[in-house]
Coordinates of all heavy atoms in Angstrom, one line a residue:
M117 N 9.0 1.4 42.2 CA 9.0 2.0 40.9 C 7.6 2.3 40.5 O 6.7 1.4 40.6 CB 9.7 1.0 39.9 CG 9.8 1.7 38.5 SD 10.5 0.5 37.3 CE 12.2 0.8 37.5
S118 N 7.3 3.5 40.0 CA 6.0 3.8 39.7 C 5.6 3.2 38.3 O 6.4 2.7 37.6 CB 5.9 5.4 39.5 OG 6.5 5.8 38.4
L119 N 4.3 3.2 38.1 CA 3.8 2.6 36.8 C 4.4 3.4 35.6 O 4.8 2.7 34.7 CB 2.2 2.7 36.8 CG 1.6 2.2 35.6 CD1 1.9 0.7 35.4 CD2 0.1 2.4 35.6
K120 N 4.4 4.7 35.8 CA 5.0 5.5 34.7 C 6.4 5.1 34.4 O 6.8 4.9 33.2 CB 4.9 7.0 35.0 CG 5.5 7.8 33.9 CD 5.5 9.3 34.4 CE 6.3 10.1 33.4 NZ 6.5 11.5 33.9
N121 N 7.2 5.0 35.4 CA 8.6 4.6 35.2 C 8.8 3.2 34.6 O 9.7 3.0 33.8 CB 9.4 4.7 36.5 CG 9.6 6.2 37.0 OD1 9.4 7.1 36.2 ND2 9.8 6.3 38.3
S122 N 8.0 2.3 35.1 CA 8.1 0.9 34.5 C 7.6 0.9 33.1 O 8.2 0.1 32.3 CB 7.3 -0.1 35.4 OG 5.9 0.2 35.3
V123 N 6.6 1.6 32.7 CA 6.2 1.7 31.3 C 7.2 2.3 30.4 O 7.6 1.8 29.3 CB 4.8 2.4 31.2 CG1 4.5 2.7 29.7 CG2 3.7 1.6 31.8
V124 N 7.8 3.4 30.9 CA 8.9 4.0 30.1 C 10.1 3.1 30.0 O 10.6 3.0 28.9 CB 9.3 5.4 30.8 CG1 10.5 5.9 30.2 CG2 8.1 6.4 30.7
A125 N 10.4 2.4 31.0 CA 11.6 1.5 31.0 C 11.3 0.4 30.0 O 12.2 0.0 29.2 CB 11.9 1.0 32.3
R126 N 10.1 -0.1 30.0 CA 9.7 -1.2 29.1 C 9.7 -0.7 27.6 O 10.2 -1.4 26.7 CB 8.3 -1.8 29.5 CG 7.9 -2.9 28.6 CD 8.8 -4.2 28.8 NE 8.3 -5.2 28.0 CZ 9.1 -6.1 27.3 NH1 10.4 -6.0 27.5 NH2 8.5 -7.0 26.5
L127 N 9.2 0.5 27.4 CA 9.2 1.0 26.0 C 10.6 1.2 25.5 O 10.9 1.0 24.4 CB 8.4 2.3 26.0 CG 6.9 2.2 26.1 CD1 6.3 3.6 26.2 CD2 6.4 1.5 24.9
R128 N 11.5 1.7 26.4 CA 12.9 1.9 26.0 C 13.5 0.5 25.6 O 14.2 0.4 24.6 CB 13.7 2.6 27.1 CG 13.4 4.0 27.2 CD 14.3 4.7 28.2 NE 14.0 6.2 28.2 CZ 14.0 6.9 29.2 NH1 14.4 6.4 30.4 NH2 13.7 8.2 29.1
Q129 N 13.2 -0.5 26.4 CA 13.8 -1.8 26.1 C 13.3 -2.3 24.8 O 14.0 -2.8 24.0 CB 13.4 -2.8 27.3 CG 13.9 -4.2 27.0 CD 13.4 -5.1 28.1 OE1 12.6 -4.8 29.0 NE2 13.9 -6.4 28.0
V130 N 11.9 -2.3 24.6 CA 11.4 -2.8 23.4 C 11.9 -2.0 22.2 O 12.2 -2.6 21.1 CB 9.8 -2.7 23.5 CG1 9.2 -3.0 22.1 CG2 9.3 -3.7 24.5
S131 N 11.9 -0.7 22.3 CA 12.4 0.1 21.2 C 13.8 -0.2 20.9 O 14.3 -0.2 19.7 CB 12.2 1.6 21.4 OG 13.0 2.1 22.5
G132 N 14.6 -0.4 21.9 CA 16.0 -0.8 21.7 C 16.2 -2.1 21.0 O 17.2 -2.3 20.2
E133 N 15.3 -3.0 21.2 CA 15.3 -4.3 20.5 C 14.8 -4.3 19.1 O 15.3 -4.9 18.2 CB 14.6 -5.3 21.3 CG 15.2 -5.6 22.7 CD 14.2 -6.4 23.6 OE1 13.1 -6.8 23.2 OE2 14.6 -6.7 24.7
W134 N 13.7 -3.5 18.9 CA 13.0 -3.6 17.6 C 13.4 -2.5 16.6 O 13.5 -2.8 15.4 CB 11.5 -3.4 17.8 CG 10.9 -4.6 18.5 CD1 11.4 -5.5 19.3 CD2 9.5 -5.0 18.3 NE1 10.5 -6.4 19.7 CE2 9.3 -6.1 19.1 CE3 8.4 -4.5 17.6 CZ2 8.1 -6.8 19.2 CZ3 7.2 -5.1 17.7 CH2 7.1 -6.3 18.5
V135 N 13.8 -1.3 17.1 CA 14.0 -0.2 16.2 C 15.2 -0.5 15.2 O 15.1 -0.3 14.0 CB 14.3 1.1 17.0 CG1 14.8 2.2 16.1 CG2 12.9 1.5 17.6
P136 N 16.3 -1.0 15.7 CA 17.4 -1.3 14.7 C 17.0 -2.2 13.6 O 17.3 -2.0 12.4 CB 18.5 -1.9 15.5 CG 18.3 -1.4 16.9 CD 16.8 -1.3 17.0
G137 N 16.3 -3.3 13.9 CA 15.8 -4.2 12.9 C 14.8 -3.6 11.9 O 14.9 -3.8 10.7
L138 N 13.9 -2.7 12.5 CA 13.0 -2.0 11.6 C 13.7 -1.1 10.7 O 13.3 -1.0 9.5 CB 11.9 -1.3 12.5 CG 10.9 -2.2 13.2 CD1 10.0 -1.3 14.1 CD2 10.0 -2.8 12.1
K139 N 14.6 -0.3 11.2 CA 15.4 0.6 10.4 C 16.1 -0.1 9.2 O 16.1 0.4 8.1 CB 16.4 1.4 11.2 CG 15.9 2.5 12.0 CD 17.0 3.2 12.7 CE 16.5 4.4 13.6 NZ 17.6 5.1 14.3
E140 N 16.7 -1.2 9.5 CA 17.4 -2.0 8.5 C 16.4 -2.5 7.4 O 16.6 -2.4 6.2 CB 18.1 -3.2 9.1 CG 19.0 -3.9 8.1 CD 19.8 -5.0 8.8 OE1 20.3 -4.8 9.9 OE2 19.9 -6.1 8.3
S141 N 15.3 -3.0 7.9 CA 14.3 -3.6 7.0 C 13.7 -2.5 6.1 O 13.5 -2.6 4.9 CB 13.2 -4.3 7.8 OG 12.1 -4.7 6.9
I142 N 13.3 -1.4 6.7 CA 12.7 -0.3 6.0 C 13.7 0.4 5.1 O 13.4 0.7 3.9 CB 12.1 0.7 7.0 CG1 10.8 0.1 7.7 CG2 11.7 2.0 6.2 CD1 10.3 1.0 8.8
G143 N 14.9 0.5 5.6 CA 16.0 1.1 4.7 C 16.2 0.3 3.4 O 16.4 0.9 2.4
G144 N 16.2 -1.0 3.5 CA 16.3 -1.8 2.3 C 15.2 -1.6 1.3 O 15.4 -1.6 0.1
R145 N 14.0 -1.5 1.9 CA 12.8 -1.3 1.0 C 12.9 0.1 0.4 O 12.5 0.3 -0.8 CB 11.6 -1.5 1.8 CG 11.3 -2.9 2.2 CD 10.0 -3.1 2.9 NE 9.9 -4.5 3.2 CZ 9.2 -4.9 4.2 NH1 8.5 -4.1 5.0 NH2 9.1 -6.2 4.5
I146 N 13.3 1.1 1.1 CA 13.4 2.4 0.6 C 14.5 2.5 -0.5 O 14.2 3.1 -1.6 CB 13.8 3.5 1.7 CG1 12.6 3.7 2.6 CG2 14.3 4.8 1.1 CD1 12.9 4.5 3.8
D147 N 15.6 1.8 -0.3 CA 16.6 1.7 -1.4 C 16.0 1.1 -2.7 O 16.3 1.5 -3.8 CB 17.8 0.9 -0.9 CG 18.6 1.7 0.1 OD1 18.5 2.9 0.2 OD2 19.4 1.0 0.8
A148 N 15.2 0.0 -2.5 CA 14.6 -0.7 -3.6 C 13.6 0.3 -4.4 O 13.6 0.3 -5.6 CB 13.9 -1.9 -3.2
V149 N 12.9 1.0 -3.6 CA 11.9 2.0 -4.2 C 12.7 3.1 -4.9 O 12.3 3.5 -6.1 CB 11.0 2.6 -3.1 CG1 10.2 3.7 -3.7 CG2 10.0 1.5 -2.6
R150 N 13.7 3.6 -4.4 CA 14.5 4.6 -5.0 C 15.1 4.1 -6.3 O 15.1 4.8 -7.3 CB 15.7 5.1 -4.1 CG 15.3 6.0 -3.0 CD 16.5 6.5 -2.3 NE 16.0 7.4 -1.2 CZ 16.6 7.5 0.0 NH1 17.7 6.8 0.2 NH2 16.2 8.3 0.9
A151 N 15.6 2.8 -6.3 CA 16.1 2.3 -7.5 C 15.1 2.1 -8.6 O 15.3 2.4 -9.8 CB 16.7 0.9 -7.3
R152 N 13.8 1.7 -8.2 CA 12.7 1.6 -9.2 C 12.4 3.0 -9.8 O 12.2 3.1 -11.0 CB 11.5 1.0 -8.6 CG 11.7 -0.4 -8.1 CD 11.7 -1.3 -9.2 NE 10.4 -1.3 -9.8 CZ 9.8 -2.3 -10.4 NH1 10.4 -3.5 -10.4 NH2 8.6 -2.2 -10.9
F153 N 12.3 4.0 -8.9 CA 12.0 5.4 -9.4 C 13.1 5.9 -10.3 O 12.9 6.6 -11.3 CB 11.8 6.4 -8.2 CG 10.4 6.4 -7.7 CD1 10.2 6.0 -6.4 CD2 9.4 6.7 -8.5 CE1 8.9 6.1 -5.9 CE2 8.1 6.7 -8.0 CZ 7.8 6.4 -6.7
D154 N 14.4 5.5 -10.0 CA 15.5 5.9 -10.9 C 15.4 5.3 -12.2 O 15.6 6.0 -13.3 CB 16.8 5.6 -10.2 CG 18.0 6.1 -11.0 OD1 18.0 7.3 -11.4 OD2 18.9 5.3 -11.2
Q155 N 15.0 4.0 -12.3 CA 14.8 3.3 -13.6 C 13.7 4.0 -14.3 O 13.8 4.2 -15.6 CB 14.5 1.9 -13.3 CG 15.7 1.1 -12.8 CD 15.3 -0.4 -12.4 OE1 14.1 -0.7 -12.4 NE2 16.3 -1.2 -12.2
L156 N 12.6 4.3 -13.7 CA 11.4 4.9 -14.3 C 11.8 6.3 -14.9 O 11.5 6.6 -16.0 CB 10.3 5.0 -13.3 CG 9.0 5.7 -13.8 CD1 8.4 5.0 -15.0 CD2 8.0 5.9 -12.7
N157 N 12.5 7.0 -14.1 CA 12.9 8.4 -14.5 C 13.8 8.3 -15.7 O 13.7 9.1 -16.7 CB 13.7 9.1 -13.3 CG 13.9 10.5 -13.7 OD1 13.2 11.2 -14.3 ND2 15.1 11.0 -13.2
R158 N 14.8 7.4 -15.7 CA 15.7 7.2 -16.9 C 14.9 6.8 -18.1 O 15.2 7.3 -19.2 CB 16.8 6.2 -16.6 CG 17.8 6.7 -15.6 CD 18.8 5.6 -15.2 NE 19.7 6.0 -14.2 CZ 20.9 6.3 -14.4 NH1 21.4 6.3 -15.6 NH2 21.7 6.7 -13.4
S159 N 13.9 5.9 -17.9 CA 13.1 5.4 -19.0 C 12.3 6.6 -19.6 O 12.3 6.8 -20.9 CB 12.2 4.3 -18.6 OG 11.3 4.0 -19.6
L160 N 11.7 7.4 -18.8 CA 10.9 8.5 -19.3 C 11.8 9.5 -19.9 O 11.4 10.1 -21.0 CB 10.1 9.1 -18.1 CG 9.0 8.2 -17.5 CD1 8.4 8.9 -16.3 CD2 7.9 8.0 -18.6
A161 N 12.9 9.8 -19.4 CA 13.8 10.8 -20.0 C 14.3 10.3 -21.3 O 14.4 11.1 -22.3 CB 15.0 11.0 -19.0
S162 N 14.6 9.0 -21.4 CA 15.0 8.5 -22.7 C 14.0 8.6 -23.8 O 14.2 8.9 -24.9 CB 15.4 7.0 -22.5 OG 15.8 6.5 -23.7
K163 N 12.7 8.4 -23.4 CA 11.6 8.5 -24.3 C 11.3 9.9 -24.7 O 10.7 10.2 -25.8 CB 10.4 7.8 -23.8 CG 10.6 6.3 -23.7 CD 9.4 5.6 -23.0 CE 9.6 4.1 -22.9 NZ 8.6 3.5 -22.1
A164 N 11.6 10.8 -23.8 CA 11.2 12.2 -24.0 C 12.1 12.9 -25.0 O 11.7 13.9 -25.7 CB 11.2 13.0 -22.7
L165 N 13.3 12.5 -25.1 CA 14.3 13.2 -26.0 C 14.3 12.5 -27.4 O 14.4 11.3 -27.5 CB 15.7 13.1 -25.5 CG 16.1 14.0 -24.3 CD1 17.5 13.7 -23.8 CD2 16.0 15.5 -24.7
P166 N 14.2 13.3 -28.4 CA 14.3 12.8 -29.8 C 15.7 12.2 -30.0 O 16.7 12.7 -29.3 CB 14.1 14.0 -30.7 CG 13.5 15.0 -29.8 CD 13.9 14.8 -28.4
E167 N 15.9 11.3 -30.8 CA 17.2 10.6 -31.0 C 18.3 11.6 -31.3 O 19.4 11.5 -30.7 CB 17.1 9.6 -32.1 CG 18.3 8.7 -32.3 CD 18.7 7.9 -31.1 OE1 17.7 7.4 -30.4 OE2 19.9 7.7 -30.8
G168 N 18.1 12.5 -32.2 CA 19.2 13.5 -32.5 C 19.6 14.3 -31.4 O 20.8 14.6 -31.1
R169 N 18.6 14.7 -30.6 CA 18.9 15.5 -29.4 C 19.7 14.7 -28.3 O 20.6 15.1 -27.7 CB 17.6 16.1 -28.8 CG 17.8 16.8 -27.5 CD 18.3 18.2 -27.7 NE 18.3 18.9 -26.4 CZ 19.3 19.6 -25.9 NH1 20.3 19.8 -26.7 NH2 19.2 20.1 -24.8
R170 N 19.3 13.4 -28.2 CA 19.9 12.5 -27.3 C 21.4 12.4 -27.6 O 22.3 12.4 -26.7 CB 19.2 11.2 -27.3 CG 19.5 10.3 -26.1 CD 18.7 9.0 -26.1 NE 17.3 9.2 -26.4 CZ 16.6 8.4 -27.1 NH1 17.1 7.3 -27.6 NH2 15.3 8.7 -27.4
E171 N 21.7 12.2 -28.9 CA 23.1 12.1 -29.3 C 23.9 13.3 -29.0 O 25.0 13.3 -28.5 CB 23.2 11.8 -30.8 CG 22.7 10.4 -31.2 CD 22.6 10.1 -32.7 OE1 23.1 11.0 -33.4 OE2 22.1 9.1 -33.1
R172 N 23.3 14.5 -29.2 CA 24.0 15.8 -29.0 C 24.2 15.9 -27.5 O 25.3 16.4 -27.1 CB 23.1 16.9 -29.5 CG 23.7 18.3 -29.3 CD 25.0 18.4 -30.1 NE 25.6 19.7 -29.9 CZ 26.9 19.9 -29.7 NH1 27.7 19.0 -29.8 NH2 27.3 21.1 -29.4
V173 N 23.2 15.6 -26.6 CA 23.4 15.7 -25.2 C 24.5 14.8 -24.7 O 25.4 15.1 -23.9 CB 22.1 15.4 -24.5 CG1 22.3 15.2 -23.0 CG2 21.1 16.4 -24.7
R174 N 24.6 13.5 -25.3 CA 25.6 12.6 -24.9 C 27.0 13.1 -25.3 O 27.9 13.0 -24.5 CB 25.3 11.2 -25.6 CG 26.3 10.1 -25.2 CD 26.0 8.8 -25.8 NE 25.7 8.8 -27.2 CZ 24.5 8.4 -27.8 NH1 23.6 8.0 -27.0 NH2 24.3 8.5 -29.0
D175 N 27.1 13.7 -26.5 CA 28.4 14.3 -26.9 C 28.8 15.4 -26.0 O 30.0 15.5 -25.7 CB 28.3 14.8 -28.4 CG 28.1 13.6 -29.4 OD1 28.4 12.5 -29.0 OD2 27.7 13.9 -30.5
L176 N 27.8 16.3 -25.7 CA 28.2 17.4 -24.8 C 28.6 16.9 -23.4 O 29.6 17.5 -22.9 CB 27.0 18.3 -24.6 CG 26.6 19.2 -25.9 CD1 25.3 19.9 -25.6 CD2 27.7 20.2 -26.2
V177 N 28.0 15.9 -22.9 CA 28.4 15.4 -21.6 C 29.8 14.8 -21.7 O 30.7 15.0 -20.8 CB 27.4 14.3 -21.1 CG1 27.9 13.6 -19.9 CG2 26.1 15.0 -20.8
L178 N 30.1 14.1 -22.7 CA 31.5 13.5 -22.9 C 32.5 14.6 -23.0 O 33.6 14.5 -22.5 CB 31.5 12.6 -24.1 CG 30.8 11.3 -23.9 CD1 30.8 10.5 -25.2 CD2 31.4 10.4 -22.8
E179 N 32.2 15.7 -23.8 CA 33.1 16.8 -23.9 C 33.4 17.5 -22.6 O 34.5 17.8 -22.2 CB 32.6 17.8 -24.9 CG 32.6 17.4 -26.4 CD 31.9 18.3 -27.3 OE1 31.6 19.5 -26.9 OE2 31.6 18.0 -28.4
Q180 N 32.3 17.6 -21.8 CA 32.5 18.3 -20.5 C 33.3 17.4 -19.6 O 34.2 17.9 -18.9 CB 31.1 18.5 -19.9 CG 31.2 19.2 -18.5 CD 29.8 19.4 -17.9 OE1 28.8 18.8 -18.3 NE2 29.7 20.3 -17.0
K181 N 33.1 16.1 -19.6 CA 33.9 15.2 -18.8 C 35.4 15.2 -19.2 O 36.3 15.2 -18.3 CB 33.4 13.7 -18.9 CG 32.1 13.5 -18.1 CD 31.7 12.1 -18.2 CE 30.4 11.8 -17.5 NZ 30.0 10.4 -17.6
A182 N 35.6 15.3 -20.5 CA 37.0 15.4 -21.0 C 37.7 16.6 -20.5 O 38.9 16.6 -20.1 CB 37.0 15.3 -22.5
R183 N 36.9 17.7 -20.5 CA 37.5 19.0 -20.1 C 37.9 18.9 -18.6 O 38.9 19.4 -18.2 CB 36.5 20.2 -20.3 CG 36.6 20.8 -21.7 CD 35.9 22.1 -21.8 NE 34.5 21.8 -21.3 CZ 33.4 21.9 -22.1 NH1 33.5 22.2 -23.3 NH2 32.2 21.6 -21.6
V184 N 36.9 18.4 -17.8 CA 37.2 18.3 -16.4 C 38.3 17.4 -16.1 O 39.2 17.7 -15.2 CB 35.9 17.8 -15.6 CG1 36.2 17.4 -14.2 CG2 34.8 18.8 -15.7
A185 N 38.4 16.3 -16.8 CA 39.5 15.4 -16.6 C 40.9 16.0 -17.0 O 41.9 15.8 -16.3 CB 39.3 14.1 -17.4
G186 N 40.8 16.8 -18.0 CA 42.1 17.5 -18.4 C 42.5 18.6 -17.4 O 43.7 18.8 -17.2
Q187 N 41.5 19.2 -16.8 CA 41.8 20.2 -15.8 C 42.4 19.5 -14.5 O 43.3 20.1 -13.9 CB 40.6 21.0 -15.4 CG 40.1 21.9 -16.5 CD 38.8 22.6 -16.2 OE1 38.2 22.3 -15.1 NE2 38.4 23.5 -17.0
K188 N 42.0 18.4 -14.2 CA 42.4 17.7 -13.0 C 43.8 17.2 -13.1 O 44.6 17.1 -12.2 CB 41.5 16.5 -12.6 CG 40.2 17.0 -12.1 CD 39.3 15.8 -11.7 CE 38.0 16.2 -11.1 NZ 37.1 15.1 -10.8
R189 N 44.2 16.9 -14.4 CA 45.6 16.3 -14.6 C 46.7 17.4 -14.5 O 47.8 17.1 -14.1 CB 45.7 15.7 -16.0 CG 45.2 14.3 -16.1 CD 45.7 13.6 -17.3 NE 45.9 14.5 -18.5 CZ 46.0 14.0 -19.7 NH1 45.9 12.8 -19.9 NH2 46.2 14.8 -20.7
K190 N 46.3 18.6 -14.7 CA 47.3 19.7 -14.6 C 47.8 20.0 -13.3 O 47.6 19.8 -12.3 CB 46.8 21.0 -15.3 CG 46.6 20.8 -16.7 CD 46.0 22.1 -17.3 CE 45.8 21.9 -18.8 NZ 45.2 23.1 -19.4

């Protein structure tokens, strides 16, 4: 077996052992970062809308959901 073939075989073995664990570890961290950004985004959006506008947006969303639910029942 040539040096190149043995190095490639060893790299494949190591990557097969390490990559799944790394993906799982990094995936969990990415999910945590996404959750933090989502919280930050919601907080900023909440602070950006005046109270009266926020209530109107909430009412419009509820009306839209009610219409969609009514359409699905038919």
Side-chain angles (χ1 to χ4, degrees):
M117 185 183 272
S118 71
L119 177 62
K120 176 185 171 187
N121 290 341
S122 63
V123 169
V124 168
R126 182 67 179 142
L127 285 173
R128 285 187 179 145
Q129 179 187 4
V130 168
S131 67
E133 294 170 359
W134 289 28
V135 169
L138 286 173
K139 282 183 178 179
E140 185 176 319
S141 175
I142 291 170
R145 290 184 181 152
I146 288 174
D147 290 342
V149 169
R150 282 185 182 148
R152 296 284 295 212
F153 275 120
D154 186 47
Q155 290 173 348
L156 176 63
N157 187 37
R158 288 174 187 255
S159 173
L160 291 174
S162 176
K163 292 175 183 176
L165 283 176
E167 184 62 36
R169 174 80 175 133
R170 194 175 318 141
E171 290 174 8
R172 181 68 181 135
V173 168
R174 183 175 47 240
D175 292 344
L176 289 172
V177 169
L178 288 175
E179 288 174 14
Q180 183 181 19
K181 285 181 180 181
R183 276 192 305 250
V184 170
Q187 290 173 356
K188 287 182 181 179
R189 274 196 333 195
K190 291 180 181 180

